[in-house]
Amino acid sequence: FGMSTPATVAGKAFLIVYGLFGCAATILFFNLFLERIISLLALVMKACRERQLRRSGLLPPTCRRGSSMSDVDSLIGWKPSVYHVMLILGILAITIACCASAMYTAVEGWNYIDSLYYCFVTFSTIGFGDLVSSQNAVYRNQGLYRFGNFMFILMGVCCIYSLFNVISIVIKQVLNWMLRKFRCRCCPDCHKPSARLGRRNAITPGSRFRRHNISMETDGQYDSDTEGRRLSGEMISMRDLTASNKVSLALLQKQLSETANGYPRNVCINT
């Protein structure tokens, strides 16, 4: 808040080093808190969803969690919506701020609006320093008040930090939606198909050698007619073609002749 600051050069240097690792560890702690909150919300909302399905008859009452019916209903790996998480975190932060404001009003002598203002400035780590708690020399039940103050600030900062992260995700989604709308309305190229798209049957360089390394190292025999086939647009040797179709060169000439002339033609296979 600014009411306690380092005065010496050694103290300022220690603050820089300690703050570098301390702030990083604190951010890590807040991120882990947000992950646990999301996991807890997912577990609770998943249980509520299963109970709703059982009441509606879509899920048997004897079906346990994690069973095959839960897989059918897509409950495995189900996650809550970002809007639900934002709403719950907002309600939790408001509840903590209201309870903390009641304590500050009774102990510090501030009015309730100033206490709410102090809670927001403190929980959001802004810390102007115009209002600071625990600055009087003597408090009634001073140890209990300081412990309550510590717990309220810790939980409030965790909730507000998590809420800010979720709000940033929502803002990003809204901005992406606005940019897509703006781009589609203002840019005529958005309605044209992309000219840089490759052919549907394009072959990735090197895929022939990866897929058909057996035919290059062996005699080129395949177990079925479908093995060893290539997509249209890939170069193929005559040896690979005859080996993949299990025909000799004479039979291949016969097939090509029949296809060209439209009728069967006798070809001497021995030659």
Side-chain angles (χ1 to χ4, degrees), residues 220-239:
Q221 299 297 327
Y222 294 89
D223 295 335
S224 63
D225 293 340
T226 58
E227 294 182 11
R229 291 185 179 178
R230 294 163 174 79
L231 299 177
S232 61
E234 183 181 1
M235 299 296 294
I236 182 170
S237 63
M238 184 62 66
R239 176 185 177 184

Side-chain angles (χ1 to χ4, degrees), residues 32-43:
L32 294 177
F33 176 82
L34 177 59
E35 292 179 1
R36 299 301 179 270
I37 285 293
I38 293 177
S39 300
L40 179 61
L41 292 178
L43 182 62

Side-chain angles (χ1 to χ4, degrees), residues 37-169:
I37 285 293
I38 293 177
S39 300
L40 179 61
L41 292 178
L43 182 62
V44 173
M45 297 177 72
K46 177 183 175 181
C48 295
R49 177 64 177 171
E50 289 182 353
R51 183 177 300 178
Q52 182 181 1
L53 290 177
R54 288 192 180 94
R55 289 181 179 179
S56 60
L58 299 177
L59 194 65
T62 57
C63 183
R64 297 179 299 176
R65 296 178 181 176
S67 61
S68 60
M69 291 300 296
S70 298
D71 293 336
V72 174
D73 294 332
S74 300
L75 292 178
I76 298 298
W78 182 82
K79 296 181 180 180
S81 173
V82 63
Y83 302 103
H84 294 163
V85 176
M86 182 178 64
L87 178 62
I88 294 175
L89 286 175
I91 294 175
L92 186 59
I94 292 175
T95 302
I96 294 176
C98 291
C99 295
S101 299
M103 182 187 69
Y104 295 137
T105 301
V107 178
E108 297 289 349
W110 304 332
N111 57 51
Y112 197 77
I113 301 300
D114 290 341
S115 298
L116 285 175
Y117 163 77
Y118 169 76
C119 288
F120 177 78
V121 171
T122 303
F123 295 167
S124 59
T125 66
I126 297 175
F128 289 116
D130 50 351
L131 294 175
V132 182
S133 62
S134 301
Q135 295 303 302
N136 296 334
V138 179
Y139 287 97
R140 186 178 180 182
N141 299 325
Q142 186 171 359
L144 182 61
Y145 169 67
R146 289 184 176 179
F147 176 76
N149 187 23
F150 168 76
M151 293 302 300
F152 275 126
I153 291 178
L154 178 63
M155 297 303 298
V157 172
C158 289
C159 292
I160 290 295
Y161 176 84
S162 303
L163 182 62
F164 286 166
N165 280 333
V166 177
I167 291 176
S168 66
I169 296 175

Side-chain angles (χ1 to χ4, degrees), residues 16 42 101 181 226 258:
I16 293 175
S101 299
K181 291 294 184 180
T226 58
E258 292 176 355

